[in-house]
Amino acid sequence: EQSRSQLADIIAVLPQEIVFTASATEANALALRGFPEKRVLVSAVEHPSALKAREDAETIPVDAQGMLRLDA
């Protein structure tokens, strides 16, 4: 809890607004599933845990340089 409080002070949020996770996969799932009523967009080059976190997530293609293809 001390780490949570210290970090909250640094980034100017409440301690209860900070969530620690055990892994990036868990963090991706928490973030992407945390708003079930919202539209979710992920780039085609995201980590598989982000691509698979929501069945309804829309994938945005990227070009050869990894830039988002918003015209696709």
Side-chain angles (χ1 to χ4, degrees), residues 15-37:
Q16 59 266 33
E17 294 177 303
I18 297 176
V19 177
F20 294 112
T21 63
S23 66
T25 298
E26 183 181 358
N28 286 337
L30 180 65
L32 296 173
R33 294 178 186 154
F35 303 95
E37 70 284 353

Side-chain angles (χ1 to χ4, degrees), residues 2 4 25-26 31-32 38 43 47 50 52-53 59 63 65 67 69:
Q2 181 180 355
R4 186 182 315 276
T25 298
E26 183 181 358
L32 296 173
K38 299 290 185 180
S43 77
H47 187 273
K52 296 177 183 177
T59 303
D63 65 18
Q65 286 76 42
M67 301 295 291
R69 294 260 333 271

Side-chain angles (χ1 to χ4, degrees), residues 28-42 48-59:
N28 286 337
L30 180 65
L32 296 173
R33 294 178 186 154
F35 303 95
E37 70 284 353
K38 299 290 185 180
R39 180 179 179 197
V40 172
L41 305 172
V42 294
S49 67
L51 293 170
K52 296 177 183 177
R54 292 250 317 248
E55 290 182 15
D56 63 339
E58 299 174 48
T59 303

